[in-house]
Amino acid sequence: MDQQSKVLYTAKTHVSGGREQGIARSSDGQLDLKLGVPGTAKPGTNPEQLFAAGWSACFESAIGILVKQKHIKLAGEVTIDAEVDLNLSPTSGYSLTARFAVGIPGVDREAAQQLVDEAHQICPYSKATHGNIGVTFTLV
């Protein structure tokens, strides 16, 4: 963060128990959930689901900013279906990959692709993961 940056918000959470029957709570009480291991029948949200929801919500907001700046009229709401894979490699260990299916109604394909490309440059989650997580975007 450069010296001119201003903190707009700080998320504060407390986690205990990790993936195995853990809990996650935010300091404001808005988040209070059980954590679980992906792919099991045990109740609980897993970190990959939380990451997919957070990144896609942030990405949708980035598209919204661009739509407003460019005075683009949409024919409905932008939608994002996100998939985040938890991978295990015998040589490099655990990693993540992500896929986003993005719907931008009422915008031609070329303009929609430009919005996705630009949103990927301004979304804080995209910036944080750039070069660290394989990600693909598909227009739907």
Side-chain angles (χ1 to χ4, degrees):
M1 187 165 80
D2 62 44
Q3 291 179 343
Q4 295 176 346
S5 293
K6 177 176 113 180
V7 174
L8 299 176
Y9 174 75
T10 300
K12 296 178 184 177
T13 62
H14 175 81
V15 173
S16 64
R19 293 175 184 272
E20 301 286 332
Q21 301 174 6
I23 56 99
R25 292 188 179 106
S26 61
S27 61
D28 63 3
Q30 294 299 308
L31 177 74
D32 187 356
L33 49 85
K34 292 179 182 179
L35 298 173
V37 178
T40 67
K42 293 180 182 179
T45 300
N46 63 66
E48 291 72 30
Q49 291 168 323
L50 293 168
F51 187 65
W55 191 354
S56 56
C58 183
F59 197 83
E60 189 279 332
S61 292
I63 291 172
I65 289 168
L66 294 167
V67 164
K68 225 179 229 183
Q69 286 176 349
K70 296 173 183 282
H71 307 286
I72 296 172
K73 181 118 170 106
L74 300 178
E77 288 187 23
V78 172
T79 60
I80 299 176
D81 291 318
E83 297 178 348
V84 172
D85 302 317
L86 174 61
N87 309 300
L88 178 58
S89 164
T91 56
S92 59
Y94 291 102
S95 67
L96 299 175
T97 50
R99 291 172 304 287
F100 292 86
V102 182
I104 307 176
V107 177
D108 70 70
R109 197 158 188 82
E110 185 177 323
Q113 186 62 56
Q114 184 176 353
L115 286 170
V116 167
D117 293 344
E118 289 182 35
H120 192 45
Q121 298 302 310
I122 66 170
C123 170
Y125 277 70
S126 291
K127 287 179 179 182
T129 59
H130 183 78
N132 299 311
I133 293 177
V135 59
T136 57
F137 294 94
T138 305
L139 292 173
V140 294

